[in-house]
Amino acid sequence: MSGPVPIANSLEDIYTRDALDTQTKRWNNLLSKFESTYGHQPEFVSRSPGRVNIIGEHIDYSLYSVLPMAITADTIIAVSTHLPAPKEGTFRIQIANVQDSKFKSREFDILYDSVDIDATVHEWTNYFKSGLRGALELLRKKHGADFKPKSMQILMDGTVPAGGGLSSSAAFVTASALAVMAANGEQTVDKKELTELAIVSERAVGVNSGGMDQSASVFSERGSALFVSFTPTLLARPVSFPPTTPELTFLIAQSFVTADKFVTGPIHYNLRVVECTLAAAYLNAVLNPPGTLLPGDASPLGISLHGFHETYFALSEHNSGATSSKSITEQLEHLLELTKQTLTKEEGYTRSEIAAVLGLPSTSELDQKFTSRFPVRAERFKLRQRAIHVFSEALRVLKLMDLLETSSSSSSSSSSSSSSTTSTAEDLNSRLGALLNETQDSCREVYECSCEEIDRICAIARQAGSYGSRLTGAGWGGCSVHLVPADKVNNVKEALEREYYSKLELTEEQREGAVVVSKPGSGSALYLGGKEGLA
Ligand code: ATP
Ligand code: GLA
Ligand code: MG
């Protein structure tokens, strides 16, 4: 699936037929608004979608594989480079948003070699700047240190709900980085390079996130979910769900609880990243031979539970002189047991307890190493619960993949009667759904990243016919995903309306967008316009 980001020749290359009317209107509005804002037409548009995560929650930053898919909602960015250069040694960015009452226009003159991002303020253009910073680093690598970035006029339009768990941020950052590459003459942009730079650069906004969102946004292909693995290197491949009758759909339901990761990072998202990293260091200190160093890796804090996992089995093989016959599944089961035996403190671990086990002279060294760039507020770190969630969730991803793979091989070789095929499909769907439900239990009870509203939505949807329901994305609000057979979609929608949405004060627009059935959409693209230009 690697290779260059596709160049779209028409909107049909990007959207499914049912979305074309709405999208054509929206793109035309972007183009005419660009012209009224800047006085001329844009040269091109970059586009990246949001995503929904099917399974594998809060494990990407521990470098375990995940299974998201792109959705239709996206960020589109129209760009022109036709503007006079500002003073020597700088380039100019003029940036505006279609939703201009919410996201104010800005202008920046930026030094060629330094893009300042103030992560202490919550400012929408920080997301553009983080894509800009990452793209310029790549451009400098390709063209040398004295590369001169082009000035840009930008108009963006995003339809992924912000803070809604569908990754509006990665859609924005990847579309921004892609726009900067194209504005600087690179129309052939490697998907892997784009994703890797966006993963690292999005952290500049103050959230120490993993790599799932950017991978899903860039690599997704229409009609397929995406299996993303992060080690030994970033890899993404399309995965199909077996066709069943009735068709299995992914229903996405908003909770309308806005989960702002930037604001709550120190007690939620960034804290979980620290807890998982500390769990890896702690398990390494206790279970591996004294002096063992975990390998540096691409995780946000440079060492991970996955790194501990590999080191632990590599060393036990080396010490026993035998090659481990354990499959990855068995290894994860083994690690779950070890975690339960080793990390026994349900109430969590204090800084001094952890520093002592890691052999650090004081808690300031611990803070320096693990919490200096992304501060956290916690007295105790729940290492046991976080490691148990990560290992068990990594196992669930493998189990779900296994179910999909065995079912696709058995359906292609099966000649069974239609009634047994139906019961097999029913059985498969129930088993897939059960895994999603287990994820939700773990997110709620063990990882503590759900919230009461999402729990309620999941209960209502299951009652109305969903095979499996859970939060999707970071959690603490945001969105939920439900595996629903097509003949139960209306039932689930009605139940959610009756028992959840009717109790909230929602605008007409919110009500309409509250529940959507989403088909796997396509990933990032560049639109350079047809023969007649962009319009
Ligand atoms: P999650 O990461 O849980 O999947 P998310 O990506 O939507 O959800 P955040 O990572 O908190 O949530 O990113 C939301 C931020 O992205 C917004 O606060 C805003 O700064 C920026 N953003 C998103 N959409 C837009 C938009 N259409 N216009 C301007 N800025 C936007
Ligand atoms: C957010 C992050 C991702 C991932 C999810 C939880 O969306 O940006 O990297 O960690 O939360 O799975
Ligand atoms: Mg995000």
Side-chain angles (χ1 to χ4, degrees):
M1 293 199 66
S2 53
V5 170
I7 309 280
N9 294 311
S10 75
L11 296 193
E12 281 174 50
D13 292 343
I14 299 176
Y15 302 107
T16 48
R17 201 159 283 247
D18 55 328
L20 275 180
D21 274 357
T22 319
Q23 292 301 335
T24 305
K25 280 195 204 112
R26 173 176 166 238
W27 280 60
N28 284 336
N29 178 49
L30 178 82
L31 302 182
S32 58
K33 195 144 188 201
F34 189 98
E35 194 156 8
S36 60
T37 308
Y38 297 115
H40 53 92
Q41 292 220 334
E43 289 152 53
F44 66 88
V45 178
S46 72
R47 181 263 174 188
S48 280
R51 60 97 192 93
V52 60
N53 187 20
I54 300 167
I55 199 158
E57 216 59 273
H58 283 281
I59 60 172
D60 59 345
Y61 48 84
S62 293
L63 300 190
Y64 284 101
S65 306
V66 294
L67 187 72
M69 67 183 209
I71 55 175
T72 307
D74 59 9
T75 290
I76 49 179
I77 299 185
V79 180
S80 166
T81 55
H82 292 152
L83 69 166
K87 71 171 190 293
E88 189 48 33
T90 65
F91 63 103
R92 180 162 295 171
I93 297 293
Q94 295 176 331
I95 180 165
N97 199 303
V98 166
Q99 292 170 266
D100 47 7
S101 55
K102 202 163 159 199
F103 302 108
K104 298 285 173 223
S105 303
R106 309 266 184 230
E107 181 172 305
F108 310 103
D109 285 353
I110 299 175
L111 290 172
Y112 282 160
D113 58 355
S114 83
V115 182
D116 279 337
I117 301 174
D118 182 357
T120 61
V121 296
H122 194 198
E123 159 61 32
W124 73 278
T125 52
N126 279 356
Y127 292 81
F128 174 79
K129 284 185 181 170
S130 69
L132 171 70
R133 184 195 268 177
L136 292 187
E137 271 165 30
L138 183 60
L139 286 161
R140 233 170 268 124
K141 251 190 236 154
K142 285 183 195 255
H143 301 293
D146 51 2
F147 169 77
K148 295 189 175 67
K150 281 265 177 50
S151 292
M152 294 167 75
Q153 288 168 323
I154 290 152
L155 179 66
M156 89 97 119
D157 181 26
T159 49
V160 187
L166 299 177
S167 198
S168 63
S169 59
F172 191 5
V173 173
T174 53
S176 301
L178 182 59
V180 174
M181 296 299 288
N184 285 285
E186 304 273 334
Q187 288 180 358
T188 309
V189 181
D190 183 67
K191 288 184 197 165
K192 188 168 176 227
E193 281 184 332
L194 175 64
T195 308
E196 285 176 337
L197 79 81
I199 293 173
V200 174
S201 64
E202 189 173 329
R203 292 180 190 142
V205 301
V207 181
N208 207 5
S209 44
M212 166 171 73
D213 306 345
Q214 299 78 0
S215 307
S217 195
V218 174
F219 283 101
S220 286
E221 286 181 6
R222 196 189 290 177
S224 304
L226 193 78
F227 182 71
V228 187
S229 44
F230 301 99
T231 173
T233 180
L234 178 69
L235 266 184
R237 70 177 161 90
V239 171
S240 301
F241 274 64
T244 56
T245 315
E247 191 190 356
L248 196 57
T249 68
F250 301 97
L251 193 129
I252 301 172
Q254 289 276 350
S255 69
F256 294 108
V257 176
T258 302
D260 199 324
K261 288 207 294 306
F262 174 81
V263 177
T264 61
I267 52 163
H268 287 157
Y269 194 91
N270 291 345
L271 175 59
R272 292 293 178 275
V273 176
V274 168
E275 287 176 316
C276 288
T277 313
L278 288 175
Y282 194 108
L283 290 170
N284 175 57
V286 177
L287 296 170
N288 282 334
T292 304
L293 288 179
L294 288 181
D297 58 29
S299 63
L301 292 169
I303 55 166
S304 64
L305 281 167
H306 188 276
F308 162 70
H309 174 161
E310 294 218 307
T311 311
Y312 177 78
F313 287 102
L315 290 175
S316 12
E317 276 175 31
H318 180 79
N319 294 344
S320 68
T323 312
S324 167
S325 53
K326 280 190 167 64
S327 65
I328 307 285
T329 303
E330 288 165 335
Q331 290 181 355
L332 284 166
E333 277 159 355
H334 186 87
L335 289 177
L336 262 176
E337 278 317 304
L338 275 180
T339 302
K340 288 176 189 160
Q341 288 159 20
T342 313
L343 294 167
T344 50
K345 286 190 164 218
E346 294 273 355
E347 69 278 24
Y349 293 75
T350 63
R351 281 180 168 76
S352 18
E353 283 166 346
I354 300 170
V357 169
L358 301 194
L360 295 171
S362 74
T363 55
S364 7
E365 274 78 7
L366 188 86
D367 282 334
Q368 174 57 30
K369 253 181 121 158
F370 297 97
T371 67
S372 56
R373 209 175 134 219
F374 296 89
V376 299
R377 287 199 304 277
E379 293 301 316
R380 289 176 180 274
F381 298 87
K382 293 194 173 174
L383 308 187
R384 172 186 171 87
Q385 292 86 335
R386 308 320 178 214
I388 288 178
H389 169 79
V390 171
F391 293 137
S392 68
E393 182 70 356
L395 257 174
R396 282 185 286 275
V397 174
L398 296 182
K399 285 183 186 161
L400 192 128
M401 288 297 290
D402 200 40
L403 278 176
L404 293 182
E405 270 151 18
T406 44
S407 76
S408 67
S409 60
S410 68
S411 67
S412 56
S413 62
S414 123
S415 56
S416 45
S417 71
S418 81
S419 73
S420 80
T421 313
T422 312
S423 75
T424 319
E426 174 72 31
D427 179 52
L428 171 70
N429 292 342
S430 306
R431 289 164 72 183
L432 294 171
L435 286 168
L436 266 69
N437 289 335
E438 281 175 32
T439 294
Q440 176 60 18
D441 291 345
S442 184
C443 283
R444 188 184 61 245
E445 301 291 330
V446 189
Y447 213 69
E448 298 172 286
C449 63
S450 187
C451 66
E452 197 216 311
E453 291 82 352
I454 294 272
D455 297 338
R456 205 163 348 121
I457 286 175
C458 291
I460 297 168
R462 287 177 200 146
Q463 183 74 28
S466 161
Y467 285 116
S469 293
R470 62 176 210 81
L471 66 85
T472 185
W476 296 287
C479 260
S480 55
V481 61
H482 310 265
L483 265 193
V484 184
D487 61 346
K488 292 279 169 56
V489 165
N490 278 339
N491 228 21
V492 173
K493 278 187 174 171
E494 280 162 21
L496 286 172
E497 170 57 32
R498 199 173 51 244
E499 294 170 47
Y500 186 80
Y501 297 115
S502 66
K503 306 203 158 72
L504 308 181
E505 277 179 26
L506 299 177
T507 61
E508 194 55 34
E509 200 189 340
Q510 283 178 317
R511 216 166 202 142
E512 269 169 26
V515 181
V516 287
V517 172
S518 191
K519 295 225 153 84
S522 58
S524 302
L526 265 179
Y527 180 70
L528 308 174
K531 283 194 208 74
E532 306 80 33
L534 274 177

